[in-house]
């Protein structure tokens, strides 16, 4: 019998389904069918290039949406529909691998060890179960994966250059007329920078640039169709630029033109998460992804047309209407603290779908662990804290309560104290949670969902 690509949710969480499933058939986690579908603010970023009043108005709308909604959509963002479609198709191919291939990081996948996550291993009730699977990959690992991953495009074969110290011949199919020698290969900001040994030859039409050193091949239109980094790397590079530009605009709208984000948010501190939400036979009892806020500055999401993303607006849940041309942007906890509550980090969730699988890719714009987060205004609402401290607090919250408290832990008016534990235990419905149930892997998995 052919092995399934779906994680074994029912088998792994059999005890939860046995104890809760029969008694709670009518205890749905939310009346999802009654959630109204809204269109969140849609902003055309091409207006930024027009300058003058139009550019200023576009920036104002970005800040207003961040303040009133915490969410907005952008079109004409600079990431081509071709790249987005390739990313979606390659993502679907990866998740169609068997569950054991994904869980064991099969050599054909070539993702970093520990990047595959599914479900919620430490769940003590169905409400805590996330009916989803994901690959969680730091941007630095994406560059290192190179063309060896299945998420690759073009016909560049980089496998021979893994042992470049031997200076053995390496062949670039479709470019070189004969085997050529490579002196050095490095990756920087999504581009392969290749230094060639003297004596290489290219086709006649490429003779104009046939030099022996430092051809920045990916950035050159002559090579763009043949030598390229992975689809994943291309997407990551482009979405990083979108995030940095939006962060600078949001800072500017607060009256702060600084290099804070350029200095503290690097590829080594940001990451991508590719998500798949399989069809769920008990969609009324579990979430695709539990309600949470994001522990970053900004999150940029590309999703398919299935729908399922919901957020809190004016005290009630609303569903986000999919737009195939748009990226979804949401404010994270760090930006709320940095802006002194001007911009809002809003609770959101993904509901499970009984019949149809859903795909999305999220980019998380994060600083280094040592970055200090403090308000850009006087009379700060939150005390000063490092990103490392914040992440550790999230882990402690999850270990103790099953969910994070987040920014309220740092609110000056709370005297730096967390909310009452009993209240939170009652709120999330945790009973009998023990330290033994929480391994480091479980904490990391949950933290990356919040």
């Amino acid at each position: 019998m052919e092995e399934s690509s779906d994680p074994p949710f029912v088998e792994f969480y059999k005890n939860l389904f046995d104890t809760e499933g029969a008694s709670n058939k009518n205890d749905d986690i939310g009346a999802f069918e009654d959630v109204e579908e809204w269109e969140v603010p849609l902003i055309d970023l091409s207006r930024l290039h027009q300058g003058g009043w139009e550019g200023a108005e576009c920036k104002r709308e970005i800040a207003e949406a961040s303040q009133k909604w915490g969410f907005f959509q952008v079109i004409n963002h600079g990431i081509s529909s071709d790249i987005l479609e390739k990313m979606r198709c390659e993502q679907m191919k990866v998740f169609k691998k068997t569950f054991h291939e994904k869980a064991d990081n099969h050599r054909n996948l070539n993702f970093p060890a520990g990047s595959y996550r599914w479900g919620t291993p430490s769940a003590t009730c169905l409400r805590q179960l996330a009916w989803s699977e994901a690959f969680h990959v730091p941007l630095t690992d994406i560059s290192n994966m190179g063309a060896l991953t299945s998420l690759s495009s073009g016909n560049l074969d980089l496998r021979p250059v893994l042992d470049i110290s031997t200076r053995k011949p390496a062949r670039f199919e479709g470019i070189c007329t004969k085997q050529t020698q490579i002196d050095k290969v490095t990756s920087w900001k999504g581009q392969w920078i290749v230094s060639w040994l003297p004596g290489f030859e290219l086709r006649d039409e490429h003779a104009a640039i046939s030099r022996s050193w430092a051809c920045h091949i990916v950035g050159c239109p002559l090579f763009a169709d043949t030598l390229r980094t992975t689809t994943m790397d291309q997407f990551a590079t482009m979405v990083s630029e979108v995030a940095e530009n939006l962060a600078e605009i949001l800072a500017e709208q607060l009256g702060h033109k600084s290099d804070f984000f350029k200095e503290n948010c690097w590829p080594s501190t940001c990451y991508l998460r590719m998500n798949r939400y399989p069809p769920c036979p008990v969609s009324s009892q579990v979430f695709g992804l539990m309600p949470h806020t994001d522990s970053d500055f900004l999150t940029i999401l590309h999703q398919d047309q299935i729908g399922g993303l919901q957020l809190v607006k004016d005290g009630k849940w609303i569903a986000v209407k999919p737009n195939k041309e748009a990226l979804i942007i949401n404010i994270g906890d760090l930006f709320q603290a940095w802006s002194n509550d001007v911009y809002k980090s809003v609770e959101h969730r993904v509901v499970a779908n009984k019949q149809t699988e859903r795909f999305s890719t999220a980019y998380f714009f994060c600083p280094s662990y040592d970055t200090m987060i403090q308000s850009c205004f006087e009379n700060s609402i939150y005390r000063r804290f490092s990103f490392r401290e914040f992440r550790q607090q999230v882990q402690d919250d999850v270990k103790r309560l099953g969910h994070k408290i987040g920014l309220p832990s740092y609110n000056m008016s709370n005297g730096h104290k967390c909310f009452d534990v009993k209240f939170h235990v009652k709120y999330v419905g945790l009973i009998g949670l023990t330290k033994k149930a929480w391994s480091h892997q479980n904490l990391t998995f949950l933290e990356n969902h919040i």
Side-chain angles (χ1 to χ4, degrees), residues 3-9 12 94-106 109 116-119 132-133 135 276:
E3 185 179 351
S4 173
S5 62
D6 291 345
F9 293 104
F12 190 86
V94 169
F95 280 112
K96 282 184 178 178
K97 298 289 185 181
T98 67
F99 168 70
H100 284 100
E101 285 179 314
K102 291 178 287 190
D104 297 338
N105 191 28
H106 190 271
L109 294 178
Y116 179 68
R117 295 102 189 265
W118 66 280
S132 57
E133 57 179 337
F135 284 99
R276 175 180 177 257

Side-chain angles (χ1 to χ4, degrees), residues 254-269:
L254 294 175
H256 291 267
K257 291 186 177 181
S258 70
D259 294 328
F260 176 85
F261 298 103
K262 287 184 178 180
E263 293 173 353
N264 293 287
C265 299
W266 288 80
S268 59
T269 66

Side-chain angles (χ1 to χ4, degrees), residues 7 75 85 135 180 198 269 274 279 348 350 413 415 422:
I75 57 174
E85 179 61 19
F135 284 99
T180 61
T269 66
M274 300 187 300
H348 52 284
V350 176
S413 63
K422 293 181 180 179

Side-chain angles (χ1 to χ4, degrees), residues 114-179:
S115 60
Y116 179 68
R117 295 102 189 265
W118 66 280
T120 313
S122 52
T124 60
C125 62
L126 290 180
R127 291 172 184 263
Q128 297 173 10
L129 173 57
W131 198 278
S132 57
E133 57 179 337
F135 284 99
H136 180 92
V137 188
L139 261 59
T140 47
D141 288 334
I142 294 173
S143 293
N144 294 334
M145 283 156 54
L148 298 182
T149 177
S150 62
L151 282 173
S152 63
S153 58
N155 53 10
L156 171 61
D157 184 0
L158 284 178
R159 282 173 292 182
V161 307
L162 293 180
D163 189 18
I164 59 177
S165 61
T166 64
R167 295 191 173 185
K168 291 184 178 180
R171 179 175 177 81
F172 292 101
E173 298 178 358
I175 288 292
C176 297
T177 58
K178 66 178 184 179
Q179 288 189 338

